[in-house]
Amino acid sequence: MSVSALTLVARPTGTAPLRARPAKAGTRARTAPRASGKDEEESAGGIDYASLERRVLNLKKQELVGHTGHLPVVVLDATLPNQRLALRFDAKDVSRRMHAGTELGKMAEVGDKFAMLGLAPGSRQVLPLGTEVVLSRISPWPDGSGDVEIELIGSRRIRIEGQPFNENGVPTAKVTFMEWAPEDSPPSKNGEGVIGGAHPSASNGGFASGTKPYGFNEKIVDGDPMTSQPNAAKCFKMAEDLEPLVDEWYGLVRLGGWERIPGQLDLIKSHIGEMPPREEPARRATWVASLINPIPALGVAYEIRPALLMARDTITMLTVATEGIRLSIERLRQGKNPPKSE
């Protein structure tokens, strides 16, 4: 199998194919009973149970977010967490091939995890930020053709660290599991998080090669936008302002008959759930992108998921989501599809 499309760096291969490792189950912290008498003296002189509990809780969180692992890489779609990607594979395609020389592999089974990476519009570069997906279903296509349907569900954000490498013929990468907001995740080391060159969106909040479907007028704020009170307030306000836009968008899509299959909006909502609270602005921005660029596609909005994945902070994520849904609303009011469908 050719893996040159991912600019793989040759590294020693192991003795067996690498499988995605599920996160270790966190240890539940137990609050010790309050010491009294002699026990109280021992507690004061030795064990600080409150501090111990905090440390265990912090370790539990680090197991879920911020730690690194290794995942097989597949390149196809800028899938977001909670989105469901159903794929049909020809009966003869036993390797279940994707883009850029990647594949699910003939041995893929339910529960396997992959690093799903999308392509930048225009340049078609592979994005170094993506989503961990879980293989949730393998079933025969109902027409009796022998084709196979596989469903992948986005679980959490990831960042590729360094170049993918060849593990027994399987493109594999070291990944960092991220928080919803990029600035809440551990920073990448210099020279890491790059596949075939850094994607320009990582620094300017736009699309590669200047092919932005909409313009960014928002001035990118330097530093961490959630560490200062004014920027945190701005994020909350931007997140709150998305609510009426979502309501209007829903109405225009449903009443305008834009659903491609009956009940499509209900199906999308069953996948991505209710809109997160404004107190979680990065998660809300991701939800809006999942709504207007759903799977299966509606075709009523420009593709904004690559820009959202590459956004360097919460304000940029909210800007991407706001610009995307506003432009979709404008087109829906005019009864038009975007010039280029998602």
Side-chain angles (χ1 to χ4, degrees), residues 10 19 65 67 76 161 167 252 269:
R19 287 202 175 266
V65 177
H67 77 287
L76 183 65
E161 303 292 353
E167 181 75 19
L252 289 169
K269 194 172 181 180

Side-chain angles (χ1 to χ4, degrees), residues 9-15 165-168:
V9 178
R11 296 189 185 183
T13 58
T15 58
F165 54 94
N166 189 323
E167 181 75 19
N168 289 342

